Amino acid sequence: MYSCQIPEVPINSTHDLSTLQYVNSSRDVSILFGNHSNGSHNQEALQCHISSCNETSNMTSQTKCTKWEYSTDEMSKTPISDFDLVCDNVVLRSHASMVFFGGTLVGVILAGMLGDVVGRKPVMVIGVFTLTISSMACVWSYNYQMFLVTRFLTGLSSLMVFAPCMLIPMEMVGPTKRVFVGIIIELLWCIGEVVLCGLAYFIRDWRTLQLVLAIPCVLLLAYTVIIPESPRWLLLVGRRKQAMQILRKIAKVNGTTLTGEITEVCRESGSLRDILTLLKKPKLVLRWTIVSFIWFAISLSYYGLILNAGRIGGNIYLNFLVSAIVEALGYSSCLVINDRFGRKIMNCGSLVLTGVACLSTILTTQLGGESLSWFTITLSMIGKFGVSAAFGNIFIYTSELFPTSSRSFILSSSNIFARIGSLISPYIADLSLLVDSMFGKALPLIIFGCLGLSAGLVSLVLPETLNATLPDTINDILSADDKDSKRTWKHYHNDQDNDAMLGMPLRSSS
């Protein structure tokens, strides 16, 4: 909350912003000050204007604010208060979020272009160095422009770190372990959100908080030394010796030894050939299109629900904490449902749940108003549960739908659509500020609901990949589709766990 600073009155000298009440639908707030030496004279400090009323002449005038006072109930300092992102500059808040997500868009493009050429690990190393520098630099942002630059670089580098960290373990395990590995990574994300919420509660200055959050990035520099490259990628580019060294180390840790040579992996000339093949196959083009739309819908809804958490009522810290816990439950549901009922059912069910929950807020806001705000929050959290489950599933599902030789490119191209969704999400979430009514509060949730419902339904067109061998080439996908058309649901549960990566046992049979 904020209001204009009246020049004649020292900051916080006679009033407390936490006690201000809304006086009209425009959300301007009033503070009345007593007589001045030049006669009976009242001044009202509104959010964006100072209104002066001379009781002698009964004349009223308004002037625009040039300085503001901010409530310190939730945070002592924020980028909003430091850079005055209010009134005419309120849209700059959405721009700041958009710039961050724009960085993630560039990050996934770079990760995709470089990941299949120089490898997964080098991309992550570049990302960690950039993330460390940009996170530290953000602390000392002296104006809005510098803040935007550091946020852009932070978004860019975070995706260059995250994408390889998802790909490398996915390409190292067998079919029945992919869900577990993917969900563990997502659960660690939720733990980070809970830690962030706790830190933000006790550290109310955003610069100090940013500095504390930047310190772990330094520790990631040591992590880049010990993490191995993906053996699958090494084999596909002909670096068999390095792949064998990594596989022997994995086998040793698992208490077994490798015998013989690595099973021959069919190599194609590179991701460009795969993309050209995709464009020649209508079935694969449709698959790529559907996956891209699902990524777009999930990302827009996921980030939109996070950004909207502070605008649906209640305590912002409690809302964020509950949101993080609900997100963890959504990811955990993947462990139970994914390997029992399959990726397709998990994807469709979670997105339909998101759609129904978010669309139901029409009833709570229009029929109950403020009296049912708790129910609106509950439905929003149910939507967050569904979209989180979908987010945890879509990484795994996409990885299994496309081959190793172009998996990094496909994931990155899908991520581009996801980042376009995240770019739009701040503006969708801010619709509640533009439409000043109970319907305005529900409008973002309605949009998220429509997207979730449509994405869930179109995902039924995709094939099931439960317990399927991870494809290495386009031909593997086409062969798997032919076999898949002859398989029943029970067959998915009778398959053996082919985690003998590339035909070689990497764990002890005991």
Side-chain angles (χ1 to χ4, degrees), residues 283-510:
K283 182 188 294 186
L284 297 181
V285 172
L286 178 63
R287 181 183 300 189
W288 194 0
T289 303
I290 291 174
V291 166
S292 297
F293 173 70
I294 293 172
W295 277 78
F296 170 83
I298 290 175
S299 182
L300 191 152
S301 301
Y302 173 83
Y303 289 108
L305 286 168
I306 291 177
L307 294 171
N308 198 51
R311 302 188 178 103
I312 55 177
N315 182 281
I316 186 172
Y317 295 100
L318 183 59
N319 284 356
F320 190 84
L321 178 62
V322 172
S323 177
I325 295 173
V326 166
E327 184 174 349
L329 293 175
Y331 293 142
S332 299
S333 68
C334 291
L335 295 173
V336 179
I337 299 174
N338 240 330
D339 286 335
R340 286 191 178 183
F341 301 103
R343 284 45 161 159
K344 182 194 289 188
I345 293 178
M346 180 70 200
N347 196 71
C348 176
S350 58
L351 286 171
V352 169
L353 175 64
T354 299
V356 172
C358 290
L359 287 173
S360 297
T361 58
I362 300 175
L363 301 177
T364 61
T365 55
Q366 297 306 301
L367 301 180
E370 291 290 349
S371 62
L372 289 180
S373 61
W374 63 272
F375 200 19
T376 302
I377 296 174
T378 301
L379 289 171
S380 176
M381 293 305 165
I382 293 174
K384 181 66 183 300
F385 172 88
V387 78
S388 299
F391 223 139
N393 179 68
I394 195 62
F395 279 97
I396 301 162
Y397 201 11
T398 305
S399 297
E400 295 176 341
L401 285 170
F402 296 95
T404 303
S405 56
S406 63
R407 187 171 296 117
S408 178
F409 180 86
I410 295 296
L411 276 171
S412 296
S413 64
S414 300
N415 245 308
I416 289 173
F417 287 93
R419 298 311 137 192
I420 292 173
S422 63
L423 280 170
I424 300 172
S425 64
Y427 300 97
I428 301 296
D430 282 347
L431 287 176
S432 59
L433 301 177
L434 301 177
V435 182
D436 190 19
S437 64
M438 290 306 299
F439 178 74
K441 182 181 288 189
L443 185 57
L445 295 172
I446 294 170
I447 295 174
F448 302 148
C450 290
L451 280 170
L453 198 59
S454 57
L457 294 177
V458 299
S459 67
L460 293 174
V461 179
L462 298 174
E464 181 56 75
T465 60
L466 178 62
N467 287 341
T469 302
L470 201 64
D472 286 318
T473 67
I474 290 291
N475 288 332
D476 290 344
I477 293 178
L478 298 177
S479 299
D481 282 349
D482 292 336
K483 295 178 181 178
D484 188 69
S485 62
K486 302 175 183 178
R487 301 172 78 197
T488 64
W489 182 79
K490 290 183 179 180
H491 287 139
Y492 292 114
H493 298 273
N494 294 329
D495 287 343
Q496 297 295 318
D497 178 14
N498 185 25
D499 71 347
M501 181 181 174
L502 306 175
M504 303 191 69
L506 299 180
R507 65 177 182 178
S508 175
S509 59
S510 58

Side-chain angles (χ1 to χ4, degrees), residues 64 71 104 118 157 260 348 409:
K64 275 192 174 183
S71 171
T104 65
V118 302
S157 54
C348 176
F409 180 86

